[in-house]
Amino acid sequence: EAQLVESGGDLVQPGGSLRLSCTVSGFTFSSSDMTWVRQAPGRGLEWVSYISSSSSVIYYADSVKGRFTITRDNAKKSLYLELNSLRAEDTAVYYCARRQGSPAPGYIYYYLDVWGEGTTVTVSS
Amino acid sequence: AIQMTQSPSSLSASVGDRVTITCRASQDIRNDLGWYQQKPGKAPKVLIYATSNLHSGVPSRFSGSGSGTDFTLTITSLQPEDFATYYCLQDYDYPWTFGQGTRVEF
Protein backbone atom coordinates (compact mmCIF):
# COMPACT_ATOMS: atom_id res chain seq x y z
CA GLU A 1 0.00 0.00 0.00
CA ALA A 2 1.35 3.40 -0.96
CA GLN A 3 1.98 5.62 2.04
CA LEU A 4 3.34 9.11 2.61
CA VAL A 5 4.36 10.41 6.03
CA GLU A 6 5.16 14.08 6.55
CA SER A 7 7.24 15.43 9.42
CA GLY A 8 9.11 18.55 10.47
CA GLY A 9 6.21 20.87 11.20
CA ASP A 10 6.73 23.16 14.18
CA LEU A 11 6.07 26.55 15.74
CA VAL A 12 8.50 29.07 14.25
CA GLN A 13 8.89 32.82 14.51
CA PRO A 14 8.26 35.14 11.55
CA GLY A 15 11.35 35.27 9.38
CA GLY A 16 12.42 31.84 10.52
CA SER A 17 13.10 28.65 8.60
CA LEU A 18 11.92 25.08 8.65
CA ARG A 19 12.49 21.89 6.67
CA LEU A 20 9.59 19.55 6.03
CA SER A 21 10.11 15.93 5.06
CA CYS A 22 7.88 13.38 3.38
CA THR A 23 8.94 9.75 3.59
CA VAL A 24 7.28 7.29 1.25
CA SER A 25 6.73 3.55 1.13
CA GLY A 26 4.78 1.06 -0.93
CA PHE A 27 5.62 2.42 -4.38
CA THR A 28 8.58 3.30 -6.58
CA PHE A 29 9.44 6.78 -5.38
CA SER A 30 12.24 7.30 -7.88
CA SER A 31 9.78 7.21 -10.79
CA SER A 32 7.09 9.30 -9.12
CA ASP A 33 6.44 13.02 -9.50
CA MET A 34 5.57 14.73 -6.24
CA THR A 35 3.83 17.84 -4.96
CA TRP A 36 3.23 19.84 -1.80
CA VAL A 37 -0.20 21.26 -1.00
CA ARG A 38 -1.06 23.33 2.05
CA GLN A 39 -4.18 24.36 3.92
CA ALA A 40 -4.35 27.34 6.26
CA PRO A 41 -6.61 26.96 9.31
CA GLY A 42 -10.25 27.05 8.24
CA ARG A 43 -9.28 27.75 4.64
CA GLY A 44 -9.17 25.90 1.34
CA LEU A 45 -6.42 23.92 -0.33
CA GLU A 46 -3.48 25.70 -1.95
CA TRP A 47 -1.06 23.99 -4.33
CA VAL A 48 2.50 24.90 -3.30
CA SER A 49 5.15 23.13 -5.37
CA TYR A 50 5.94 20.31 -7.79
CA ILE A 51 9.07 18.28 -8.51
CA SER A 52 9.52 15.71 -11.23
CA SER A 53 10.92 12.25 -10.54
CA SER A 54 14.44 13.22 -11.61
CA SER A 55 14.28 16.71 -10.06
CA SER A 56 14.70 18.17 -13.55
CA VAL A 57 11.40 20.08 -13.48
CA ILE A 58 10.29 22.19 -10.53
CA TYR A 59 7.42 24.65 -10.12
CA TYR A 60 6.28 26.90 -7.28
CA ALA A 61 3.21 28.91 -6.42
CA ASP A 62 3.82 32.64 -6.70
CA SER A 63 3.10 32.99 -2.99
CA VAL A 64 6.18 30.94 -2.04
CA LYS A 65 8.53 31.49 -4.98
CA GLY A 66 11.95 32.60 -3.79
CA ARG A 67 11.26 31.54 -0.21
CA PHE A 68 10.53 27.82 -0.45
CA THR A 69 12.68 25.12 -2.06
CA ILE A 70 11.51 21.65 -3.03
CA THR A 71 14.02 18.82 -3.25
CA ARG A 72 14.07 15.06 -3.12
CA ASP A 73 16.44 12.20 -2.35
CA ASN A 74 15.40 9.15 -4.33
CA ALA A 75 17.86 6.90 -2.49
CA LYS A 76 16.20 7.82 0.81
CA LYS A 77 12.69 7.76 -0.68
CA SER A 78 12.15 11.22 0.71
CA LEU A 79 10.72 14.53 -0.45
CA TYR A 80 11.60 17.82 1.22
CA LEU A 81 10.32 21.36 1.41
CA GLU A 82 12.65 24.04 2.75
CA LEU A 83 10.69 26.99 4.11
CA ASN A 84 12.55 30.28 4.56
CA SER A 85 11.54 33.84 5.42
CA LEU A 86 8.38 32.48 6.96
CA ARG A 87 5.33 34.71 7.37
CA ALA A 88 2.19 34.39 9.42
CA GLU A 89 0.27 33.55 6.25
CA ASP A 90 2.42 30.43 5.78
CA THR A 91 0.72 28.92 8.81
CA ALA A 92 -0.94 25.78 7.49
CA VAL A 93 -1.06 22.03 7.36
CA TYR A 94 1.36 20.92 4.66
CA TYR A 95 0.54 17.79 2.69
CA CYS A 96 2.78 15.89 0.31
CA ALA A 97 1.04 14.06 -2.53
CA ARG A 98 2.00 11.90 -5.46
CA ARG A 99 1.19 13.11 -8.96
CA GLN A 100 -0.16 10.21 -10.95
CA GLY A 101 -0.49 10.12 -14.71
CA SER A 102 -3.23 8.41 -16.67
CA PRO A 103 -2.34 7.92 -20.35
CA ALA A 104 -4.83 8.87 -23.04
CA PRO A 105 -4.35 8.98 -26.83
CA GLY A 106 -1.74 11.66 -27.37
CA TYR A 107 -2.05 12.99 -23.86
CA ILE A 108 -1.55 12.24 -20.17
CA TYR A 109 -4.04 13.25 -17.51
CA TYR A 110 -2.65 14.02 -14.08
CA TYR A 111 -4.09 13.91 -10.60
CA LEU A 112 -2.96 13.60 -6.98
CA ASP A 113 -3.73 10.04 -5.98
CA VAL A 114 -1.85 9.44 -2.72
CA TRP A 115 -1.64 11.95 0.11
CA GLY A 116 0.04 12.05 3.46
CA GLU A 117 -1.80 13.07 6.63
CA GLY A 118 -0.02 16.40 6.82
CA THR A 119 2.35 18.24 9.13
CA THR A 120 1.48 21.53 10.84
CA VAL A 121 3.53 24.69 10.47
CA THR A 122 2.69 27.60 12.74
CA VAL A 123 4.39 30.94 12.19
CA SER A 124 3.94 33.19 15.20
CA SER A 125 5.92 35.26 17.62
CA ALA B 1 -2.34 31.93 -12.96
CA ILE B 2 -5.60 30.23 -13.89
CA GLN B 3 -8.38 31.09 -11.46
CA MET B 4 -10.96 28.51 -10.49
CA THR B 5 -14.32 29.78 -9.28
CA GLN B 6 -16.31 27.14 -7.46
CA SER B 7 -19.95 27.40 -6.43
CA PRO B 8 -21.77 27.24 -4.17
CA SER B 9 -19.43 27.73 -1.23
CA SER B 10 -21.75 25.62 0.87
CA LEU B 11 -25.01 23.78 0.53
CA SER B 12 -27.46 21.99 2.74
CA ALA B 13 -28.70 18.60 1.63
CA SER B 14 -30.31 15.42 2.88
CA VAL B 15 -29.52 11.78 2.37
CA GLY B 16 -30.77 10.71 -1.04
CA ASP B 17 -30.56 14.18 -2.57
CA ARG B 18 -28.95 14.92 -5.91
CA VAL B 19 -26.14 17.42 -5.43
CA THR B 20 -24.42 19.51 -8.10
CA ILE B 21 -21.25 21.57 -7.65
CA THR B 22 -19.78 23.71 -10.39
CA CYS B 23 -16.33 25.03 -11.18
CA ARG B 24 -15.46 27.69 -13.73
CA ALA B 25 -11.95 28.27 -15.04
CA SER B 26 -10.67 31.71 -16.03
CA GLN B 27 -9.44 30.24 -19.32
CA ASP B 28 -9.83 27.10 -21.41
CA ILE B 29 -8.33 24.15 -19.50
CA ARG B 30 -9.57 21.48 -21.91
CA ASN B 31 -10.47 18.48 -19.73
CA ASP B 32 -7.69 18.92 -17.18
CA LEU B 33 -9.83 19.10 -14.08
CA GLY B 34 -10.18 16.87 -11.04
CA TRP B 35 -12.45 16.74 -8.02
CA TYR B 36 -11.29 16.01 -4.47
CA GLN B 37 -13.18 15.24 -1.29
CA GLN B 38 -11.94 16.28 2.12
CA LYS B 39 -13.37 15.40 5.52
CA PRO B 40 -12.50 17.39 8.66
CA GLY B 41 -8.99 16.70 9.91
CA LYS B 42 -8.21 14.39 7.02
CA ALA B 43 -6.20 14.62 3.83
CA PRO B 44 -8.07 15.14 0.56
CA LYS B 45 -8.96 12.17 -1.62
CA VAL B 46 -9.29 12.17 -5.38
CA LEU B 47 -12.73 11.34 -6.71
CA ILE B 48 -12.52 12.21 -10.39
CA TYR B 49 -9.72 13.14 -12.78
CA ALA B 50 -9.73 14.40 -16.36
CA THR B 51 -13.22 15.84 -15.85
CA SER B 52 -15.15 12.57 -15.86
CA ASN B 53 -12.88 9.64 -14.99
CA LEU B 54 -13.80 7.98 -11.72
CA HIS B 55 -10.79 7.11 -9.58
CA SER B 56 -10.47 3.50 -8.51
CA GLY B 57 -12.78 2.60 -5.65
CA VAL B 58 -14.94 5.73 -5.89
CA PRO B 59 -18.68 4.95 -5.87
CA SER B 60 -20.54 5.39 -9.14
CA ARG B 61 -22.94 7.92 -7.58
CA PHE B 62 -20.15 10.44 -8.20
CA SER B 63 -19.80 11.76 -11.73
CA GLY B 64 -18.18 14.67 -13.49
CA SER B 65 -18.82 16.53 -16.71
CA GLY B 66 -17.84 19.60 -18.68
CA SER B 67 -14.95 20.86 -20.78
CA GLY B 68 -13.17 24.09 -21.58
CA THR B 69 -14.13 26.43 -18.76
CA ASP B 70 -17.22 24.95 -17.11
CA PHE B 71 -17.27 21.77 -15.06
CA THR B 72 -19.70 19.96 -12.80
CA LEU B 73 -19.48 17.38 -10.04
CA THR B 74 -22.72 15.50 -9.42
CA ILE B 75 -23.60 13.19 -6.56
CA THR B 76 -26.75 11.37 -7.63
CA SER B 77 -27.92 10.07 -4.25
CA LEU B 78 -26.16 11.64 -1.31
CA GLN B 79 -25.02 9.19 1.35
CA PRO B 80 -24.14 9.96 4.99
CA GLU B 81 -20.43 9.51 4.27
CA ASP B 82 -20.59 12.13 1.50
CA PHE B 83 -20.98 15.05 3.88
CA ALA B 84 -17.61 16.72 3.32
CA THR B 85 -15.92 19.57 1.48
CA TYR B 86 -15.28 19.22 -2.25
CA TYR B 87 -12.61 20.97 -4.29
CA CYS B 88 -11.92 21.20 -7.97
CA LEU B 89 -8.30 21.33 -9.15
CA GLN B 90 -7.07 22.38 -12.56
CA ASP B 91 -3.96 20.54 -13.72
CA TYR B 92 -3.80 22.12 -17.18
CA ASP B 93 -0.98 24.48 -16.34
CA TYR B 94 1.33 25.34 -13.47
CA PRO B 95 0.70 26.73 -10.96
CA TRP B 96 -2.10 24.25 -10.39
CA THR B 97 -5.05 25.95 -8.73
CA PHE B 98 -7.90 24.74 -6.56
CA GLY B 99 -11.39 26.09 -6.36
CA GLN B 100 -12.42 27.65 -3.05
CA GLY B 101 -14.28 24.54 -1.96
CA THR B 102 -17.91 23.55 -1.42
CA ARG B 103 -19.01 22.35 1.98
CA VAL B 104 -21.86 19.85 1.76
CA GLU B 105 -23.68 19.77 5.07
CA PHE B 106 -26.81 18.29 6.53
Side-chain angles (χ1 to χ4, degrees), chain A residues 35 37 39 43-47 50 59-62 95 99 102 107-118, chain B residues 1 30-32 36 38 41-46 48-50 53 55 87 89 91-92 94-100:
Chain A
T35 64
V37 173
Q39 185 169 37
R43 304 294 296 274
L45 301 170
E46 180 186 14
W47 176 88
Y50 160 84
Y59 295 107
Y60 296 100
D62 289 343
Y95 298 100
R99 188 187 84 157
S102 176
Y107 204 66
I108 300 176
Y109 292 107
Y110 294 108
Y111 54 99
L112 304 177
D113 70 330
V114 183
W115 295 66
E117 287 305 310
Chain B
R30 303 205 299 188
N31 287 329
D32 295 338
Y36 294 76
Q38 187 182 34
K42 298 296 186 181
K45 293 182 178 180
V46 61
I48 288 170
Y49 64 94
N53 291 267
H55 184 56
Y87 296 91
L89 170 64
D91 54 275
Y92 176 76
Y94 285 98
W96 285 11
T97 41
F98 287 93
Q100 302 94 320

Side-chain angles (χ1 to χ4, degrees), chain B residues 35-101:
Chain B
W35 291 96
Y36 294 76
Q37 178 194 66
Q38 187 182 34
K39 296 182 178 179
K42 298 296 186 181
K45 293 182 178 180
V46 61
L47 299 174
I48 288 170
Y49 64 94
T51 297
S52 59
N53 291 267
L54 214 60
H55 184 56
S56 175
V58 174
S60 58
R61 62 181 179 272
F62 291 93
S63 65
S65 63
S67 72
T69 60
D70 294 307
F71 302 88
T72 299
L73 172 70
T74 300
I75 310 172
T76 53
S77 179
L78 199 67
Q79 296 302 299
E81 59 268 29
D82 300 336
F83 290 93
T85 300
Y86 295 84
Y87 296 91
C88 62
L89 170 64
Q90 70 81 16
D91 54 275
Y92 176 76
D93 193 19
Y94 285 98
W96 285 11
T97 41
F98 287 93
Q100 302 94 320

Side-chain angles (χ1 to χ4, degrees), chain A residues 4-10 12 18-22 35-41 45-49 63-64 67-68 80-84 86-97 115-123, chain B residues 43-44:
Chain A
L4 307 176
V5 179
E6 302 94 337
S7 60
D10 204 348
V12 62
L18 212 52
R19 189 195 200 201
L20 307 183
S21 300
C22 171
T35 64
W36 287 96
V37 173
R38 69 182 180 181
Q39 185 169 37
L45 301 170
E46 180 186 14
W47 176 88
V48 173
S49 185
S63 58
V64 307
R67 300 187 300 121
F68 290 8
Y80 306 102
L81 189 66
E82 189 85 28
L83 289 61
N84 295 311
L86 281 162
R87 308 165 180 167
E89 53 265 36
D90 296 318
T91 295
V93 175
Y94 286 74
Y95 298 100
C96 60
W115 295 66
E117 287 305 310
T119 187
T120 300
V121 173
T122 303
V123 184

